[in-house]
């Protein structure tokens, strides 16, 4: 009924995706401790830069909830966690903060299909071609055997989460209804980005 949220621009979590996080701010340390004591659920959501307000950072309407599946504490007091994406949500209402972090009432009703594996159709040949062109343009190295062996949904989810797209593009990837449309969108984003006249973003293994 109520979930804590972690507003983080340019970061995307999708159902069944895995997101490692390095937690060091006091409010988010509090959030992780409280989540570990309850259902271990945290909602990832991006700030919305087009709707700035004076007293609070506005949020996009749609985020994705994840469950903490790994947790460790560093000697300097940071938390290293991994979230596994469960289900997207719309923000119905934001509630008063607790221990410095924000909370919302989520509406899951539009995303019940997130709880099931998506077996939608993906044009694997075109996707492979766009990945190679995009990685070559960005000077990104990759394990091609691992890519070829990765199932469609896992591959599209991983690419959506790790590729350095703009926050608005990440949000678009989050909000498309299913795997087939997400695959079409990511191929279009790769195609456009590969044509941009700038260098790479580093290795990807």
């Amino acid at each position: 009924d109520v979930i804590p949220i972690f507003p983080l621009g340019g970061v995307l979590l999708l159902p069944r995706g895995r997101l490692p996080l390095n937690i060091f701010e006091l409010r988010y340390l509090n959030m992780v401790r409280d989540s570990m004591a309850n259902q271990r659920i945290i909602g990832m959501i991006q700030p919305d830069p087009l709707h700035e307000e004076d007293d609070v950072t506005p949020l996009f309407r749609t985020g994705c909830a994840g469950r903490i599946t790994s947790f460790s504490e560093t000697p300097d007091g940071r938390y290293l966690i991994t979230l596994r994406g469960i289900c997207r949500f719309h923000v119905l209402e934001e509630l008063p903060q607790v221990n410095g972090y924000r909370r919302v009432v989520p509406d899951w009703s539009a995303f019940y299909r997130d709880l099931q594996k998506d077996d939608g159709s993906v044009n694997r040949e075109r996707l492979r071609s766009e990945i190679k062109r995009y990685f070559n343009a960005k000077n990104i190295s990759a394990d091609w055997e691992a890519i070829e062996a990765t199932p469609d949904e896992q591959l599209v989810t991983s690419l959506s989460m790790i590729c350095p797209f703009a926050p608005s593009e990440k949000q678009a990837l989050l909000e498309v209804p299913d795997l087939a449309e997400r695959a079409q969108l990511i191929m279009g984003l790769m195609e456009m980005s590969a044509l941009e006249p700038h260098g790479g973003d580093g290795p990807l293994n």
Side-chain angles (χ1 to χ4, degrees):
D1 295 335
V2 177
I3 60 171
I5 55 167
F6 191 176
L8 199 56
V11 175
L12 176 63
L13 178 64
L14 290 170
R16 288 169 292 284
R18 295 184 181 272
L19 178 64
L21 293 168
N22 176 18
I23 308 297
F24 54 88
E25 287 188 50
L26 177 59
R27 56 183 166 169
Y28 297 125
L29 293 171
N30 292 337
M31 178 185 69
V32 170
R33 279 195 294 267
D34 291 349
S35 297
M36 291 293 292
N38 291 285
Q39 295 180 325
R40 295 195 283 175
I41 301 296
I42 293 174
M44 296 301 300
I45 193 165
Q46 291 197 108
D48 183 354
L50 298 181
H51 298 89
E52 294 187 3
E53 301 174 9
D54 293 334
D55 55 343
V56 65
T57 301
L59 305 171
F60 280 105
R61 179 174 177 245
T62 307
C64 183
R67 187 172 188 268
I68 299 173
T69 56
S70 70
F71 170 91
S72 63
E73 186 173 2
T74 66
D76 60 359
R78 292 176 291 116
Y79 294 158
L80 304 179
I81 68 172
T82 299
L83 290 181
R84 177 173 172 80
I86 298 174
C87 185
R88 292 171 291 172
F89 61 90
H90 291 318
V91 175
L92 276 183
E93 178 187 1
E94 183 162 358
L95 302 177
Q97 295 182 12
V98 169
N99 293 328
Y101 60 85
R102 299 168 70 175
R103 304 177 304 149
V104 300
V105 176
D107 176 8
W108 313 97
S109 61
F111 303 112
Y112 69 94
R113 291 184 179 177
D114 287 355
L115 301 177
Q116 303 173 354
K117 182 180 177 182
D118 191 334
D119 294 320
S121 176
V122 174
N123 185 336
R124 191 74 182 215
E125 183 175 349
R126 184 192 166 199
L127 179 59
R128 183 188 306 111
S129 175
E130 294 298 346
I131 293 172
K132 288 183 177 181
R133 179 161 56 169
Y134 177 80
F135 282 10
N136 287 336
K138 302 298 182 182
N139 296 320
I140 298 174
S141 59
D143 183 340
W144 291 106
E145 288 187 6
I147 288 176
E148 292 289 351
T150 302
D152 289 346
E153 184 187 27
Q154 183 181 344
L155 179 58
V156 172
T157 294
S158 297
L159 290 169
S160 299
M161 290 177 59
I162 65 177
C163 287
F165 299 127
S168 60
E169 295 168 337
K170 294 270 190 180
Q171 191 65 26
L173 288 166
L174 174 68
E175 295 183 9
V176 293
D178 53 34
L179 173 63
E181 290 197 32
R182 184 170 294 119
Q184 289 293 329
L185 178 56
I186 199 169
M187 287 187 286
L189 291 174
M190 285 182 167
E191 182 178 18
M192 290 187 295
S193 185
L195 299 176
E196 294 176 358
H198 52 66
D201 296 287
L204 177 66
N205 295 312

